[in-house]
Amino acid sequence: MANYYEDNADLRFYVEKGIDWAPLYEHTQLLGDVYENLDEAKETWADTLNLIGEFSANEIGPHQRELDTQHNVLENGDVVFGDRINTIFEQLKELGVHGLCMPEQLGGMNAPLITYFLSAELMARGDVSVMTHHGFHGGMALAMLMFSVDEGTTEVDIANKQLVSTRFQQQAEEIVAGEAWGCMDITEPDAGSDMAALRTIGEQDADGNWTVSGTKMFITSGNGRYHFVIARTEPETQGDPETGLKGLSFFLVETYSFDDEGNKVWHVTLDKVEDKLGHHASPTVMLTFDKTPAHLIGERGDGFRLMLLLMNNARIGVGFESLGLIENAIDLAKKYAAERPSMGKTIDKHEMIADYIDEMEVDAKAIRALGVRAAYYEELAQRLKLQAKFMAEDGSEEEAKLLKKSNKLKWKARKVTPLLKYYASEKAVEYGQRCIQIHGGVGYTTEYGAEKLLRDAMVLPIYEGTSQIQSLMAMKDNLLWIMGNSGTFAKQLAEAGFKSRFDRDALTRDVNKIKLYAMRAQVHLMRWILSEKLGDKPVTAWGSALGEFDPKVDFSPAMLHAEHLAKLLTDAAIASELHRQAQKWPERRDLCTAFVERALPRSRYQLDLIRTTGHRILRQLHGDDAVEGAPAADREVA
Ligand SMILES: Cc1cc2nc3c(=O)[nH]c(=O)nc-3n(C[C@H](O)[C@H](O)[C@H](O)COP(=O)(O)OP(=O)(O)OC[C@H]3O[C@@H](n4cnc5c(N)ncnc54)[C@H](O)[C@@H]3O)c2cc1C
C-alpha cells in the first residue's frame, strides 16, 4: 500500500536519528504521563506519522483532481464544502490526529510540535488545501493554549503533572475533537504586508466588554468557528509608521454560537468566498465584523507581538507545506520521465532531465534539513520559556538561566525561519513549473495534475508574509546583528576565510566559501550603508555607528539587495546544516556534496550581483546622493 512516510528515507532519517528527541520528550511530558519512556514515545510518534503517510497517500493524493474541481461555495451566508474535503475531514476526525501536539488532558497526544510539521509535509504531498485546513485545527487549539499561558490564565499543577485550567479550554477541546476549527484574521482590503495600516477596530464599552468592527479578507478557513483577530484599539495610530503596530490588540472572536434549539446564531458576516487560481478545496473568505463580541487576549497594544507568536509557527508550516508540494512534483515528474520515450530512450535518461530531477530531489532534502532546524529551535525555545514560567521561581537564577537559553534558541529560529519560508515557497513555484516542463504538452493539460501543482504553489510565496517581506526581515536581522556584534562577526569572517582556503577537507573548504560569500555580501552592504558615517573604519568599529543610524533611511541599498542576500544566507544556512550532519553521520556526506555543488556557483553569482548592481535603481529612486560613497564594484569573489 502506498505510504508517503515509508517511501521517504530522508524524512525517516530525521524521525529515526536526525532529531534529538530527548529534550522534546522531557518538555512534552511535563503535563501527563502518556508514555512509559522516550523509546515508547518515539515509536508512537513514528507510528502516527506512518499512519498519516498512509492516509495521505491513499485517501488524499489520489483525490487531488476532485479536490481541485469541487469548489467551496457561499450559500445562505455559510460556506458549503465540496464532498471530497468533507469526506477527508470526517476520516481525519476518526483518526483523531487534530490533537497530536495538545496535552492529553485536552484530548491530545502530548507529541512535540515537530511531529505536526512533519505530518504537514505528508498531508501537503497529498494536497495542500487539505493540509492548510487541517493546520487550522490543531494549530489553533495549540495557539489558544499558548496565548492563555502567555497572558497568565492557565494554571498547572506541575508536581502532579496536571493542567488545572486554561482560559479557552472548551474551545480547544471542541477543535481537538474535530467539531470546529479556527482561522487567523490579519489581512484587510487596504492592508496586507503593511500592518501599520490595519483599520479594523476593537472597542471596549463602559462595562469592559469588547467588540470588533471591520472587514478582513483572504482569510483561510474563515468560515471556522473561532477567529484570532488583530484589531486597532488605539485609532490614532492607524497608518503611522512609528506607532501603527503598537496600537494593535489581539482578540478571540466567535463566528457563531448556538441557541437553545441548536440553531446557529451568527456574529460575523461571511461576504464572499474567493474564486482563486489554486488551493480550491480550502475556502478563502472575506468577512465583516460589526460590533461583534470579542475576547481581548493579553494586554491592550500587545497585538503585533502575539500575532508574531502565531506567525512564526505558521511560516515554518508553509515551509513544510511547500516541501510536501515539491515531493508531489517530484513524484509526478519522475513517474512521467521514466515512461515517456524520446529519441531512443525514456526522457529521464536524457542528461538535462536527469539533472533537473536530481536538483529537485537534492533541494527537497535541503529544505527538509532547514525546516527541521527551524522547527526544532522554535519549539525548544517556546518550551524552555514555559518551563521557566511554571517550574522556576520568579526572579530566580534558574529562571534567568532557562530564559537565556530560550532566547538564544529563539534567535537561532528567527534567523532561519524567514529563509525557510522564502526558499521553500519559491522552490515550490519553480518546481511546479518544472514538473509541467518535464511533462511537455500534457503538462499543460489538466490530465496529469502537473498544472494543478503550479497553481497551488503560486500562493506559497505570498501568504504568511511575502517573499519580499521574508527577505527584508532576514536582511535587517542579520545586518543589525552585525552592527551590534561586529567583533564576533569579524572573528566569524576570519574563520570562514581561513577554512575556505586551508581546511584539509575539500567539502569543508567549499561550505566555508559559501559562508564567506554571504558574509562578504553583508560587509559590502554595511560599507555602503555606513559609508558616510564610518568612512573606511574596520568591521570591528561598526557598532559605534549604531546610535546615529536610522534603519528606515539608511538601509536603502540593503533593501534593494535583500532578496539576493536572502538567497546567499539560505545557501549558507543549508550548507552549514548539511555539513554538520555529514560530520556526525558519514552517510549524509553525499547529500551535502550534492547541495554544495550547485550552491557554491550560485552564491558566487549572488555576491557578484550585490557588488556590481543596484546603483542605477537607487539613483532613479533617491538621486545621486544614494550612491555617493558606495564601495567600488568588486568582482573578485574567490
Ligand atoms: C489563498 C490566500 C490565503 C490567505 N490566507 C490568509 C489568512 O488566513 N489570514 C490572513 O490574514 N491573510 C491571508 N492571506 C493574505 C496574505 O497574507 C496577503 O495577501 C499577503 O500578506 C500580502 O498582502 P497584500 O495582498 O495586501 O499585498 P501587498 O502587501 O499589497 O503587496 C503587494 C506586493 O508588494 C510587495 N511589497 C509590499 N511591501 C513591500 C516592501 N516594503 N518592500 C518590498 N516589497 C513590498 C509584496 O511583497 C507583494 O509582492 C491569504 C492570501 C491568499 C491569496
Side-chain angles (χ1 to χ4, degrees):
M1 190 183 267
N3 187 321
Y4 292 158
Y5 177 75
E6 296 222 316
D7 74 7
N8 192 331
D10 190 70
L11 197 160
R12 281 189 284 105
F13 158 78
Y14 289 99
V15 177
E16 286 159 17
K17 58 177 158 177
I19 293 171
D20 178 10
W21 291 103
L24 297 179
Y25 172 73
E26 191 191 311
H27 286 284
T28 45
Q29 306 321 305
L30 292 178
L31 293 179
D33 271 322
V34 182
Y35 307 100
E36 287 279 314
N37 52 37
L38 173 62
D39 285 340
E40 198 216 1
K42 270 166 63 177
E43 205 179 313
T44 311
W45 299 335
D47 286 348
T48 308
L49 289 170
N50 197 323
L51 182 77
I52 294 171
E54 186 185 310
F55 179 79
S56 193
N58 297 289
E59 304 298 336
I60 305 176
H63 302 293
Q64 282 184 12
R65 184 125 174 81
E66 254 178 284
L67 287 161
D68 191 39
T69 50
Q70 293 176 349
H71 291 218
N72 305 304
V73 290
L74 192 65
E75 267 178 31
N76 304 320
D78 200 356
V79 174
V80 179
F81 281 110
D83 288 344
R84 179 52 61 184
I85 191 137
N86 264 337
T87 306
I88 289 172
F89 276 83
E90 281 304 315
Q91 291 169 307
L92 283 173
K93 196 162 131 181
E94 292 276 301
L95 284 183
V97 290
H98 290 314
L100 184 64
C101 305
M102 290 293 281
E104 185 200 15
Q105 274 173 273
L106 296 178
M109 285 175 63
N110 279 31
L113 199 54
I114 203 161
T115 57
Y116 163 73
F117 290 122
L118 297 175
S119 75
E121 177 195 329
L122 296 168
M123 273 197 204
R125 185 166 156 195
D127 182 88
V128 280
S129 303
V130 173
M131 177 260 152
T132 315
H133 190 50
H134 170 69
F136 282 102
H137 288 70
M140 288 293 117
L142 198 62
M144 286 172 176
L145 182 60
M146 183 173 80
F147 289 135
S148 170
V149 167
D150 187 81
E151 66 173 13
T153 53
T154 291
E155 202 190 321
V156 298
D157 172 359
I158 283 292
N160 293 307
K161 296 192 162 201
Q162 290 291 310
L163 176 77
V164 178
S165 65
T166 182
R167 183 177 174 194
F168 303 115
Q169 182 153 350
Q170 170 260 314
Q171 293 90 334
E173 282 172 347
E174 195 184 338
I175 291 176
V176 168
E179 300 296 337
W181 64 91
C183 52
M184 181 169 73
D185 302 14
I186 304 166
T187 309
E188 297 175 6
D190 294 317
S193 307
D194 182 7
M195 290 183 54
L198 289 172
R199 285 173 194 277
T200 295
I201 51 166
E203 294 168 298
Q204 195 173 26
D205 67 16
D207 299 324
N209 299 315
W210 286 94
T211 57
V212 293
S213 301
T215 296
K216 295 282 181 184
M217 75 183 296
F218 293 148
I219 307 307
T220 302
S221 304
N223 52 333
R225 183 163 183 195
Y226 300 108
H227 297 246
F228 284 124
V229 180
I230 190 155
R232 192 166 298 285
T233 46
E234 327 306 319
E236 70 284 358
T237 60
Q238 198 263 321
D240 185 329
E242 292 298 323
T243 60
L245 298 179
K246 292 182 189 139
L248 298 168
S249 299
F250 210 63
F251 298 91
L252 183 74
V253 174
E254 213 179 352
T255 312
Y256 52 82
S257 49
F258 291 96
D259 65 16
D260 292 343
E261 271 88 55
N263 302 313
K264 277 184 183 172
V265 181
W266 290 85
H267 310 296
V268 179
T269 308
L270 307 185
D271 301 310
K272 178 176 153 192
V273 179
E274 301 293 344
D275 187 7
K276 49 194 197 299
L277 192 61
H279 277 242
H280 285 157
S282 146
T284 309
V285 182
M286 181 185 254
L287 45 99
T288 301
F289 304 104
D290 184 10
K291 295 218 174 281
T292 305
H295 307 279
L296 178 72
I297 298 176
E299 300 288 322
R300 203 174 162 142
D302 226 5
F304 186 65
R305 181 184 71 82
L306 293 172
M307 191 232 38
L308 283 184
L309 286 180
L310 199 60
M311 197 68 123
N312 287 337
N313 287 342
R315 285 178 176 157
I316 296 172
V318 177
F320 282 93
E321 178 182 8
S322 305
L323 179 55
L325 189 142
I326 291 169
E327 287 288 355
N328 195 344
I330 294 171
D331 290 340
L332 295 188
K334 276 176 81 172
K335 184 167 183 292
Y336 187 78
E339 286 166 0
R340 173 73 176 169
S342 172
M343 301 177 199
K345 51 189 173 187
T346 52
I347 58 171
D348 59 350
K349 299 287 182 290
H350 287 289
E351 289 77 0
M352 238 187 295
I353 305 290
D355 186 43
Y356 286 167
I357 292 175
D358 177 81
E359 189 184 19
M360 290 162 87
E361 291 190 309
V362 170
D363 259 338
K365 291 175 185 144
I367 290 166
R368 192 173 295 108
L370 192 64
V372 169
R373 268 295 90 178
Y376 195 80
Y377 290 147
E378 180 68 34
E379 174 161 21
L380 216 48
Q382 287 175 21
R383 294 200 183 270
L384 282 164
K385 210 169 148 196
L386 288 182
Q387 198 182 346
K389 188 164 193 139
F390 291 123
M391 296 180 69
E393 272 192 29
D394 273 359
S396 65
E397 216 174 280
E398 168 76 355
E399 185 194 46
K401 227 166 95 186
L402 286 167
L403 287 177
K404 193 173 163 199
K405 222 167 144 188
S406 164
N407 286 338
K408 219 169 146 187
L409 285 159
K410 187 85 201 157
W411 169 243
K412 286 185 174 184
R414 191 179 160 131
K415 276 186 95 167
V416 287
T417 301
L419 303 180
L420 169 71
K421 162 72 175 67
Y422 170 77
Y423 193 74
S425 62
E426 291 288 334
K427 284 288 165 190
V429 175
E430 187 182 336
Y431 294 152
Q433 196 258 339
R434 187 175 291 181
C435 182
I436 294 180
Q437 192 66 22
I438 289 173
H439 280 75
V442 296
Y444 197 62
T445 70
T446 54
E447 204 179 328
Y448 284 73
E451 56 80 45
K452 171 189 181 286
L453 292 186
L454 180 60
R455 285 188 286 107
D456 279 349
M458 286 188 74
V459 77
L460 301 171
I462 294 175
Y463 64 23
E464 304 297 358
T466 64
S467 285
Q468 292 66 40
I469 298 300
Q470 304 308 310
S471 303
L472 289 171
M473 277 170 52
M475 177 277 290
K476 279 185 195 154
D477 272 356
N478 277 278
L479 296 195
L480 287 174
W481 179 85
I482 292 174
M483 286 186 83
N485 301 273
S486 49
T488 312
F489 179 72
K491 234 171 92 187
Q492 290 174 353
L493 191 64
E495 190 183 314
F498 182 81
K499 285 191 176 164
S500 70
R501 282 185 192 278
F502 301 116
D503 200 281
R504 272 192 282 173
D505 174 42
L507 181 60
T508 306
R509 286 200 297 278
D510 286 350
V511 168
N512 278 283
K513 273 184 198 157
I514 297 172
K515 284 159 74 172
L516 188 64
Y517 296 159
M519 286 189 234
R520 283 189 180 163
Q522 293 171 87
V523 169
H524 179 85
L525 292 171
M526 290 300 291
R527 285 208 184 285
W528 192 340
I529 289 166
L530 296 174
S531 53
E532 278 183 34
K533 286 164 181 122
L534 276 183
D536 268 346
K537 282 193 187 149
V539 172
T540 45
W542 287 352
S544 62
L546 260 178
E548 44 176 319
F549 181 78
D550 179 356
K552 288 203 176 69
V553 182
D554 295 331
F555 261 31
S556 201
M559 288 192 190
L560 182 128
H561 282 302
E563 187 169 358
H564 302 139
L565 182 62
K567 288 182 182 175
L568 262 166
L569 292 168
T570 311
D571 277 336
I574 293 174
S576 299
E577 170 54 18
L578 292 179
H579 187 240
R580 182 192 72 83
Q581 292 183 9
Q583 286 174 315
K584 194 162 179 192
W585 299 285
E587 72 270 24
R588 303 289 287 174
R589 191 177 165 92
D590 285 352
L591 171 62
C592 184
T593 307
F595 180 77
V596 166
E597 183 185 289
R598 293 188 180 95
L600 185 59
R602 79 179 164 234
S603 300
R604 218 177 273 140
Y605 165 69
Q606 293 302 334
L607 174 59
D608 201 10
L609 271 182
I610 290 174
R611 280 179 164 173
T612 59
T613 67
H615 302 72
R616 188 171 50 82
I617 304 294
L618 289 183
R619 205 176 275 122
Q620 275 172 21
L621 287 172
H622 307 298
D624 287 344
D625 280 359
V627 289
E628 204 174 291
D634 176 6
R635 285 176 201 273
E636 175 65 36
V637 290

